């Protein structure tokens, strides 16, 4: 079976990254970790989208060359992904010469088979914003607003891609492949966008206007439009045309493609990922079976508003990871959103998710389970032969959690996967309250029952440490160290069964996994 090839939308170099960017990487990372645990080999690609007008402009504003500018920004992304434990296999930086060779070879192929043509375009051009304007940019009075500065009527030659030739194919493809876009309901926005007269896509910018890009190999007076270059990262870094381009050290393309998941935000579905990208692949000769699947997530907003520097409401993941630990942030980002839908960031919720769910629910369960076993049995577990209905119910909850968890996680329902695992937390905490091990310990006649209770609690936690590993890898490894149980090399979910801990198992020392935070939400 091919590895599960997962990519994330590569970020613009508009650092520092905010929690929306962080969410997407953690989502992909959690899925990659889950797939590995579920027995799949995984290849996870992410990176940075470095070319284009915005970058060139920003670099000029701060007095740096575009190259030095992106060089100064990329480390912020890498440092954050490291901090958040986002473990990728490939790094796609679009300034990489290997990528540039693939983009140019691909453009040449499209040119040679008549998919590209040059034509002159006359339109209104904003000198300040360095872009052509359309009627959409006109104000209610029919004029272009002051924000556009001086607007000139300009004629400019450019290269175009025959996108319109493939629109009928794309419509048919979308209708016959309901799996192409997840969640399915998003396909309708793509079909709507394809209504009306199809237009071709301008894929060049004259070098006088934009020098920070990949030159067209057949006309060096132009550079490639940034989306064309950026989308190609999904195949260039997966080894597409590697031999032809002399690219070394990349994966074997035939083993990876098609990607099972391009993880993107809803804003870049139409037209980039759902129109340009499948049509680019189709025009290059990729078959219907080789079109990748799009996983479209929603947005993190703040009090219902879009996060933006101008509104001053950007939430910094570095700060949150510092306060709530990287795993505390990962948990919140995976728990409080349903994949495909929007969520609202809230101080109250992240504090509550940490203090109530992680510290009070999950961490406390581990701490009291190990503590009691240390206190009453010097940390040694002996399951014995005692059994009763309460034990059976807890065992059932633990074993039922696994299939429900797998079902949700494999269909991108990460928050439901967490909820499936959380049934164990809730049941095990209720089990402590009802079995009252501290009372059992006072009665020598209840010794066998106490042994079974202590065993059930530790065993339940072993299961939790596996199921929650894709979400909180560091905390779960710490918990396993406290339990004295390590994930065996090559361990898979199918190996998880009741009885992972053997008779005589020695537990380690309890240390609070998520120490409670004394912190109040900002007004
Ligand atoms: N560079 C392009 C992607 C090129 S892919 C060939 C880009 N970059 S971006 O930095 O603007 O966004 C990167 C990803 O973060 C996108 O998938 C985008 O949807 C996502 N998000 C940006 N803001 C977001 C939120 N507020 N919430 C969730 N995800 C968000 O687009």
């Amino acid at each position: 079976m091919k590895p599960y090839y997962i990519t994330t939308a590569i970020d613009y170099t508009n650092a520092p990254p905010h929690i929306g960017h962080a969410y997407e990487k953690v989502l992909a990372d959690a899925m990659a970790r889950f797939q590995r645990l579920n027995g799949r080999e995984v290849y996870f690609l992410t990176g940075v989208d470095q070319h284009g007008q915005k970058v060139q402009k920003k670099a000029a504003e701060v007095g740096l060359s575009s190259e030095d500018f992106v060089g100064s920004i990329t480390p912020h992304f890498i440092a954050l992904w490291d901090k958040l434990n986002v473990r990728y296999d490939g790094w796609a930086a679009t300034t990489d010469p290997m990528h540039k060779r693939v983009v140019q070879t691909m453009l040449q192929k499209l040119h040679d088979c008549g998919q590209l043509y040059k034509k002159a375009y006359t339109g209104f051009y904003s000198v300040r914003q360095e872009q052509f304007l359309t009627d959409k940019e006109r104000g209610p009075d029919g004029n272009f607003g002051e924000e556009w500065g001086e607007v000139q009527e300009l004629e400019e030659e450019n290269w175009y891609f025959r996108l319109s030739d493939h629109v009928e194919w794309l419509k048919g493809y979308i209708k016959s492949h309901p799996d192409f876009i997840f969640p399915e309901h998003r396909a309708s926005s793509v079909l709507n966008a394809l209504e009306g007269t199809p237009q071709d896509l301008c894929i060049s910018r004259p070098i006088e206007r934009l020098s920070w890009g990949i030159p067209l190999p057949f006309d060096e007076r132009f550079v490639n439009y940034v989306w064309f270059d950026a989308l190609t990262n999904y195949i260039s870094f997966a080894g597409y045309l590697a031999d032809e381009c002399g690219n070394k050290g990349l994966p074997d393309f035939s083993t990876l493609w098609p990607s099972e998941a391009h993880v993107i935000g809803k804003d870049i579905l139409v037209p980039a990922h759902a129109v340009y990208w499948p049509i680019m692949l189709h025009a290059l000769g990729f078959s219907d079976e080789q079109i990748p699947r799009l996983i479209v997530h929603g947005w993190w907003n703040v009090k219902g508003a879009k996060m933006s520097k101008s509104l001053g409401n950007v939430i910094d993941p570095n700060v949150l990871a510092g306060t709530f630990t990287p795993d505390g942030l990962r948990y919140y980002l995976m728990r409080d959103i349903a994949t495909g839908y929007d969520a609202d960031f809230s101080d109250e919720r992240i504090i509550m998710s940490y203090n109530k769910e992680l510290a009070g629910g999950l961490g406390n369960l581990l701490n009291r389970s190990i503590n009691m076993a240390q206190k009453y049995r010097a940390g040694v577990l002996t399951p014995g032969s005692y059994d009763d209905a309460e034990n059976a119910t807890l065992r059932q909850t633990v074993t039922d959690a696994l299939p429900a968890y797998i079902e949700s996680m494999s269909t991108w329902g990460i928050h439901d996967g967490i909820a499936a695992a959380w049934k164990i937390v809730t049941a095990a905490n209720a089990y402590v309250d009802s079995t009252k091990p501290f009372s059992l310990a006072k009665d020598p006649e209840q010794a066998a029952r106490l042994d079974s209770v202590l065993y059930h609690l530790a065993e339940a936690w072993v299961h939790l440490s596996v199921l929650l590993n894709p979400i909180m890898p560091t905390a779960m490894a710490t918990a396993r160290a406290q339990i004295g149980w390590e994930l065996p090399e090559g361990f898979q979910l199918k190996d998880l069964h009741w009885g992972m801990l053997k008779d005589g198992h020695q537990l380690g020392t309890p240390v609070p996994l998520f120490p409670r935070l004394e912190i109040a939400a900002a007004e």
Side-chain angles (χ1 to χ4, degrees):
M1 192 192 275
K2 285 181 195 282
Y4 189 98
Y5 176 35
I6 183 169
T7 72
T8 62
I10 53 176
D11 298 279
Y12 277 120
T13 41
N14 58 354
H18 59 54
I19 56 156
H21 302 127
Y23 161 65
E24 182 174 292
K25 306 308 146 181
V26 173
L27 173 63
D29 181 69
M31 183 51 119
R33 288 172 187 270
F34 163 75
Q35 292 291 351
R36 286 194 187 101
L37 205 52
N38 207 19
R40 291 286 303 273
E41 204 188 317
V42 175
Y43 192 84
F44 173 12
L45 179 76
T46 190
V48 275
D49 170 10
Q50 299 170 298
H51 290 127
Q53 192 88 54
K54 285 190 198 167
V55 175
Q56 181 175 297
K57 198 161 170 242
K58 195 77 207 266
E61 272 165 30
V62 294
L64 287 177
S65 69
S66 299
E67 204 165 2
D68 287 349
F69 176 68
V70 297
S72 72
I73 296 290
T74 302
H76 292 285
F77 283 94
I78 294 180
L80 181 62
W81 307 153
D82 280 353
K83 182 185 267 186
L84 294 182
N85 239 315
V86 172
R87 190 156 48 102
Y88 43 84
D89 303 290
W91 181 252
T94 56
T95 47
D96 190 317
M98 292 200 288
H99 171 74
K100 181 174 163 181
R101 286 196 284 271
V102 175
V103 171
Q104 290 192 319
T105 307
M106 202 182 93
L107 284 164
Q108 190 67 55
K109 280 183 193 295
L110 291 171
H111 178 262
D112 295 350
C113 66
Q115 286 290 322
L116 306 180
Y117 64 93
K118 199 172 181 180
K119 99 172 170 190
Y121 171 79
T122 307
F124 292 99
Y125 184 78
S126 153
V127 178
R128 181 193 287 167
Q129 298 298 339
E130 300 178 53
Q131 70 176 76
F132 274 96
L133 305 177
T134 65
D135 285 343
K136 273 191 286 181
E137 275 85 40
R138 290 182 192 274
D141 59 356
N143 295 321
F144 295 111
E146 275 183 17
E147 69 276 23
W148 301 109
E150 185 196 346
V151 175
Q152 306 170 338
E153 196 167 8
L154 207 76
E155 186 185 82
E156 188 175 281
E157 273 201 312
N158 263 308
W159 283 90
Y160 287 78
F161 170 44
R162 295 187 190 283
L163 197 81
S164 56
D165 284 5
H166 307 273
V167 165
E168 279 312 308
W169 164 78
L170 182 61
K171 285 183 186 168
Y173 178 80
I174 294 173
K175 288 179 188 154
S176 57
H177 292 79
D179 265 7
F180 171 45
I181 299 172
F182 173 89
E184 258 181 55
H185 70 84
R186 293 229 179 255
S188 58
S189 62
V190 185
L191 290 168
N192 287 343
L194 293 174
E195 287 305 318
T197 315
Q199 303 291 316
D200 286 340
L201 175 68
C202 178
I203 56 115
S204 70
R205 299 291 181 265
I207 214 137
E208 317 80 72
R209 207 148 61 76
L210 176 67
S211 57
W212 185 236
I214 300 179
L216 301 189
F218 43 84
D219 194 343
E220 301 237 332
R221 286 173 304 133
F222 295 90
V223 298
N224 193 203
Y225 168 49
V226 66
W227 270 104
F228 215 82
D229 150 7
L231 288 162
T232 306
N233 93 91
Y234 301 131
I235 50 177
S236 62
F237 289 95
Y240 179 61
L241 301 179
D243 287 346
E244 208 172 320
C245 297
N247 288 346
K248 302 262 180 287
L250 294 173
D252 172 353
F253 189 60
S254 66
T255 66
L256 284 189
W257 199 258
S259 158
E260 278 176 70
H262 285 341
V263 181
I264 60 167
K266 62 179 187 177
D267 58 316
I268 55 172
L269 175 67
V270 181
H273 281 84
V275 180
Y276 302 164
W277 183 225
I279 288 184
M280 283 163 71
L281 293 170
H282 182 69
L284 283 166
F286 284 65
S287 68
D288 284 10
E289 289 65 44
Q290 290 176 308
I291 301 299
R293 185 168 190 228
L294 305 176
I295 306 298
V296 188
H297 61 75
W299 269 36
W300 280 93
N301 296 319
V302 179
K303 297 194 170 81
K306 184 178 163 179
M307 245 182 290
S308 80
K309 280 186 196 146
S310 51
L311 285 177
N313 63 355
V314 171
I315 308 288
D316 182 351
N318 273 297
V319 172
L320 294 179
T323 308
F324 299 99
T325 73
D327 275 354
L329 176 58
R330 284 176 65 109
Y331 171 76
Y332 172 72
L333 290 176
M334 294 296 100
R335 182 72 187 91
D336 260 31
I337 194 168
T339 315
Y341 297 87
D342 289 354
D344 217 49
F345 175 81
S346 134
D347 270 348
E348 289 86 357
R349 262 301 303 157
I350 192 168
I351 294 171
M352 185 149 79
S353 84
Y354 182 91
N355 270 347
K356 212 161 165 252
E357 295 161 26
L358 293 180
L362 184 68
N364 185 37
L365 176 68
L366 177 71
N367 206 253
R368 59 181 178 163
S369 301
I370 302 182
N371 247 322
M372 291 188 294
Q374 287 293 359
K375 190 161 166 201
Y376 308 134
R377 296 291 184 264
V380 179
L381 298 175
T382 44
S385 56
Y386 176 88
D387 205 10
D388 60 19
E390 272 177 302
N391 287 358
T393 305
L394 182 61
R395 282 201 302 277
Q396 195 64 48
T397 305
V398 170
T399 42
D400 285 351
L402 182 62
Y405 165 88
I406 293 178
E407 165 70 23
S408 295
M409 294 291 287
S410 34
T411 50
W412 290 90
I414 315 289
H415 66 300
D416 285 336
I418 297 175
W422 226 260
K423 289 199 169 150
I424 303 179
V425 180
T426 311
N429 272 322
Y431 174 84
V432 176
D433 296 343
S434 68
T435 55
K436 299 190 176 53
F438 27 90
S439 305
L440 299 179
K442 291 185 192 133
D443 181 355
E445 299 220 333
Q446 300 284 350
R449 186 172 176 209
L450 177 62
D451 284 337
S452 81
V453 167
L454 296 173
Y455 180 83
H456 273 67
L457 287 170
E459 178 72 16
W461 232 105
V462 166
H463 290 245
L464 282 171
S465 81
V466 174
L467 302 189
L468 294 175
N469 200 69
I471 318 294
M472 296 179 281
T474 309
M476 291 307 107
T478 308
R480 284 192 294 272
Q482 293 187 27
I483 297 169
W485 183 78
E486 271 182 31
L487 263 184
E489 191 59 30
F491 182 87
Q492 294 180 14
L493 286 167
K494 67 177 169 49
D495 304 324
L496 193 62
H497 58 268
W498 186 263
M500 304 303 298
L501 297 176
K502 301 295 163 228
D503 194 359
H505 180 88
Q506 173 70 58
L507 294 171
T509 311
V511 181
L513 199 55
F514 297 102
R516 247 190 98 78
L517 291 171
E518 291 310 324
I519 181 171
E523 283 304 302

